[in-house]
Amino acid sequence: MTAPLDGIRVLDLSQLYPGPLCTMILADLGAEVIKVEPPGVGDHARTFRFLFNQINRNKKSIALNLKHPEAQEAFRRLARTADVVVEGFRPGTTARLGVDYETLKSINPRIIYCSISGFGQDGPYRDRPGHDINYMAMGGVLGLTRDRGGDPVVLGFEVADIASALNSVIAIQAALLARERTGEGQFVDIAMLDCVVFQIGRAHV
C-alpha cells in the first residue's frame, strides 16, 4: 500500500522538538525527510539521546554549515527538488542565511515553506526568545492548572511544542492539497503562542 505522502520531499532545518516532531509525522506518512544539521554537535536534541531518537525516526540527515555561501548554495540546489521546507529559527534568520521563503520561491515556485516560531513572523514580540513554559503562561494554560494552594502547576508534557507541531502538519498538508489546484506553493506561519491560545479557547467552549 502506498503511503499518503509517498514522493513528497521535505527539507528539515528545525531542531529540538516542534519542527522535528512535525517532520517525523510527515515521514511516518511516507514523505522523504532530509534533516539538515550544522556540523559538529548537530541538532541540540542529540544531547538528549532518547528525545532525538524518539522524534527523528525515518529521516535522512546531512550536515551543512549555512553560515558559508557554499553550503547555502548546496541547500538551494536541494530546494529545487523539494516540496516542503520546515524551519524553526527566529524570524529573519533564514533571510540572513539566504534560505528564506522568497529566495527559495524564486527557484522553486511550488515550494511550501513552514516557519515555526514563538510569536510568529511579525508583531511586537517576533524577536523575543521563549520556551514551552513561556507560551503556556502567556496563553493561559498555567492559569488553569493549579495546586491546592492556588499556585500554577507545569504540565508533564510540552503543550506549545506538540500543538505547534500538529498544526504545522495540518497546514502543510492543506498547502499540498491547494498546490494540486493552483500549481503554486505557499508560506505557512506557525506561532506557538497562537497554538496554545487556540487550545484554551476550545477548552472553554
Side-chain angles (χ1 to χ4, degrees), residues 12-191:
D12 182 7
L13 285 170
S14 65
Q15 297 190 37
L16 293 174
Y17 202 6
L21 178 59
C22 163
T23 56
M24 182 206 75
I25 296 171
L26 296 176
D28 286 350
L29 292 171
E32 176 194 22
V33 176
I34 302 175
K35 186 174 179 66
V36 181
E37 302 180 71
V41 66
D43 184 340
H44 293 297
R46 287 184 180 274
T47 305
F48 310 99
R49 179 61 61 181
F50 174 77
L51 171 64
F52 183 85
N53 292 339
Q54 181 185 26
I55 59 175
N56 286 286
R57 62 174 180 256
N58 294 330
K59 301 179 187 180
K60 301 175 181 178
S61 181
I62 63 171
L64 288 175
N65 187 344
L66 292 176
K67 295 180 180 179
H68 291 269
E70 296 86 355
Q72 295 169 10
E73 179 55 34
F75 184 85
R76 288 191 287 267
R77 288 198 301 270
L78 277 173
R80 289 187 178 95
T81 68
D83 299 283
V84 178
V85 172
V86 177
E87 64 93 5
F89 295 111
R90 290 192 196 178
T93 300
T94 55
R96 292 195 299 271
L97 297 174
V99 295
D100 57 305
Y101 173 63
E102 292 301 327
T103 298
L104 300 188
K105 178 184 176 182
S106 68
I107 61 177
N108 182 358
R110 291 174 57 82
I111 200 80
I112 293 161
Y113 196 103
C114 178
S115 293
I116 305 172
S117 62
F119 303 101
Q121 298 300 303
D122 51 31
Y125 287 2
R126 70 183 291 265
D127 295 320
R128 292 193 178 188
H131 296 282
D132 195 88
I133 190 172
N134 305 118
Y135 312 130
M136 285 197 292
M138 295 179 71
V141 171
L142 297 187
L144 298 176
T145 56
R146 297 180 179 273
D147 62 19
R148 292 179 179 177
D151 295 322
V153 175
V154 178
L155 301 183
F157 62 96
E158 294 80 1
V159 173
D161 287 355
I162 296 171
S164 58
L166 295 177
N167 277 283
S168 296
V169 171
I170 294 168
I172 288 168
Q173 292 188 100
L176 287 169
L177 180 61
R179 192 180 70 176
E180 291 299 307
R181 297 194 302 268
T182 66
E184 296 182 356
Q186 57 183 274
F187 181 76
V188 177
D189 181 7
I190 299 292

